[in-house]
Amino acid sequence: MSDTPALTADVAKIMPDMLERLEALVRIPSVAFPGFDPAPVHEMGDAVVELFTAAGAAGVRLVEVPGGYPCVFADLPGPDGSPTILLYAHYDVQPAPASQGWSTSPFEPTTGEDGRIYGRGAADDKSGLVIHYGTLRLLGPDRPCRIKILIEGEEETISHLEDFVEANPEMFRADAYVIADIGGQVVGRPGLTTALRGDVACTVTVRTLEFPVHSGLFGGAAPDAMTAMIRILDTLHDDNGDTAIPGVDSGSWEGAAMDEDVYRQGSAILSGVDFLGSGSLSDRIWAKPSVTVLGMDLPTVAEASNVLLPEVRAKLSMRIAPGSDADAQLAALMSHLEAQRPWNCVVEVEKVKTGHAFKVDESNPVVIAAGKALEAAYGSAPESIGSGASIPLVASLQRVAPDAAIILWGAEDTAKARIHASDESVDPEEIARMTAAQVEFVRAVARR
Ligand SMILES: [Zn+2]
């Protein structure tokens, strides 16, 4: 921890510039979802090239990713024989529809009375961009090791980067990958994410009639598709709210505990509403599966008329336990759904995607170095936490460099950042601490 005060002072000096740059990036509505204007996404790609050029990254450039938006890439040499660290973040953001209930304009960054910067992408993941920017600036031109920069343009939607990385292993090979797109539980309390749940998804379609018919003339004997669907979906959980699908793996969490107050605040659960499931809170959100109905094709209340519905379709997502096999977990969910046929209704199940779960090897010396870097920057030892979210690229990076350490961290605190939701925000102090941690980490890995 010897040079930490000096490092903290160096970070403080560049913070006004980092925050100004962050705000400029938030102003670009880089939503890469289908149906959104591609122009701001491309504008953002150019802005990221400028950002890293300004940080001293020679040769930083846009690289076409087949089928998708370009990524930003740089390969910055270090001393001969030094290790390679790849810094990852993404420049696209989630949409920010007014229906989410924003208090401020999402693409006009606003500093709140709490000092946080509000705006879509302020945390997820434009904070990651400026943390990497600050890291490069502070390392200066004499970098202690080789550094690669990889900034994705479509992490929040259908990503094409995984295939591209696996098709170009040499370009993306590294000894350590730093994914700055996550965060600790609360600001000021360092967290190192050591497990990610995977995410598998499918659709289920239920049919009972050839076409809609009068619910008074025919209701009572002919089953409607909605009633059958409700029965099917009800089989996904037991009375306790635990996932009850044969063949789906479960686990228990051995790291730090999820703080119940943080979880209540982050999850926005109404007071008086009970938690689902059993086990510790950490078990439930980081180590056990959870299945959610994300949407259904059905008439809205306003459109509803007195008919029996012939067909209903639902999309389901299942978060799967770290260490489990995504293909096997999805197969278990799909065969469970196919086996549910109330009143012999017709059930069709289709795969949507498999996203793999991930576990960090905490005995890896590079991972230990990351923990020490967090401790130096925050002044307290980090917690080993999980994340219910999934980062599918991690599985591809593991295939490219099976022995590399994967460091998952960032400035997106669970309690208040509200990523993907309304009033997303980031705490500038967290950006400062994470920048110091990354510089410390790069220097420590280079010394090894
Ligand atoms: Zn993100």
Side-chain angles (χ1 to χ4, degrees), residues 90 124-125 155-156 181 412 420:
H90 62 88
D124 181 14
D125 183 22
E155 192 272 347
E156 301 288 7
D181 186 20
E412 302 167 19
H420 296 205

Side-chain angles (χ1 to χ4, degrees), residues 46 65 89 115-116 137 152 162 167 174-175 220 268 295 299 364 370 384 390 416:
D46 293 336
V65 176
R116 297 179 69 99
R137 272 202 58 184
E152 179 172 14
E162 293 146 56
D175 300 293
N364 184 324
S384 165
S390 312
K416 291 189 175 164

